[in-house]
Amino acid sequence: MLIVVDNDGNIMTINQAVQKVLGYKEEELIGQPFDIILSDKSIGNILINSIDNLNKGSLAQNLEMNLLSKEGNEISILLSSSVLNDENGKFQGNVFIAHNINDRKIMENALKESEEKYRLVVENASDAILVLQDGIVKFFNSKVTDLSGYSKEELKSKSFLEFVHPDDREITMERHIKRLKGESAENSHKLKTINKNGDVRWVET
């Protein structure tokens, strides 16, 4: 989207992309104050970071903010701007280029919501859930601390085999190596574990 604003802050020119994204006709915006298409949260940013700085010869690049459509919907954009001078170098206004990132922002927000729901499910699961990398516990939920008796800080540096009873360590490691090699191995099996107090508990992994 391209928007040209004069030195009084009024819109001089827009392109078709502005009309398509914001829903305005050209005649509805020409001559109107620039802030007619700025959301309340963005007015301060654009005035301070773009117009004021441009008069001092600075440029705004990839300023993340929101425009306001004709229907009142906020559209997330990345805004860049430059100075518009006449042939004598006299300041005439500003040229703004707005890149529509609304779909990306919607996906980012949806991903954050999904990650938060997933985290809550894992954290509140009745089963112990852990992620191992190179045999070391890298992630675990609160049920693991309950089952093992170790604190969160203690668990972060533990090898998984330290929780396995000596009687079952060999078979557990054999299955692990098979999986790493891509060979067939049972998806679940029962084994004895040892918690911090030395108590033996049967689990199914």
Side-chain angles (χ1 to χ4, degrees), residues 5 8 39 51 66 73 117 131 137-138 144 154 166 175 194:
V5 178
D8 293 322
S39 72
I51 296 177
N66 295 319
N73 299 319
K117 290 177 182 177
V131 176
V137 179
K138 294 293 184 178
V144 175
E154 291 173 321
R175 289 186 174 117
I194 308 174

Side-chain angles (χ1 to χ4, degrees), residues 2 5 13-15 51 58 63 80 97 100 110 120 122 155 174:
L2 181 143
V5 178
T13 305
I14 62 172
N15 66 355
I51 296 177
S58 301
L63 177 66
S80 297
I97 303 295
N100 188 353
L120 290 173
V122 170
L155 282 170
E174 286 178 1

Side-chain angles (χ1 to χ4, degrees), residues 97-113:
I97 303 295
H99 179 62
N100 188 353
I101 59 169
N102 205 56
D103 288 343
R104 190 187 81 185
K105 295 297 291 185
I106 290 173
M107 287 188 289
E108 287 177 352
N109 292 334
L111 179 60
K112 288 180 181 178
E113 291 179 6

Side-chain angles (χ1 to χ4, degrees), residues 21-33:
V21 174
L22 300 185
Y24 284 99
K25 295 180 180 179
E26 186 176 18
E27 58 268 24
E28 292 177 309
L29 288 181
I30 300 302
Q32 295 294 323

Side-chain angles (χ1 to χ4, degrees), residues 86-182:
D86 63 16
E87 58 185 12
N88 297 316
K90 183 179 179 181
F91 177 76
Q92 295 296 306
N94 306 295
V95 178
F96 295 99
I97 303 295
H99 179 62
N100 188 353
I101 59 169
N102 205 56
D103 288 343
R104 190 187 81 185
K105 295 297 291 185
I106 290 173
M107 287 188 289
E108 287 177 352
N109 292 334
L111 179 60
K112 288 180 181 178
E113 291 179 6
S114 177
E115 289 175 342
E116 178 63 15
K117 290 177 182 177
Y118 177 75
R119 187 191 67 78
L120 290 173
V121 168
V122 170
E123 186 59 32
N124 295 296
S126 58
D127 293 325
I129 300 175
L130 29 67
V131 176
L132 306 178
Q133 186 176 24
D134 298 326
I136 303 298
V137 179
K138 294 293 184 178
F139 170 84
F140 51 88
N141 65 354
S142 57
K143 197 66 178 179
V144 175
T145 60
D146 296 339
L147 183 66
S148 68
Y150 290 98
S151 68
K152 291 181 178 181
E153 291 302 317
E154 291 173 321
L155 282 170
K156 289 178 181 178
S157 59
K158 291 289 183 182
S159 165
F160 177 67
L161 284 180
E162 292 184 50
F163 307 112
V164 181
H165 191 280
D167 294 346
D168 291 333
R169 286 177 183 171
E170 184 175 352
I171 186 64
T172 298
M173 181 54 70
E174 286 178 1
R175 289 186 174 117
H176 175 63
I177 292 174
K178 281 185 177 181
R179 290 192 186 92
L180 292 180
K181 291 181 177 180

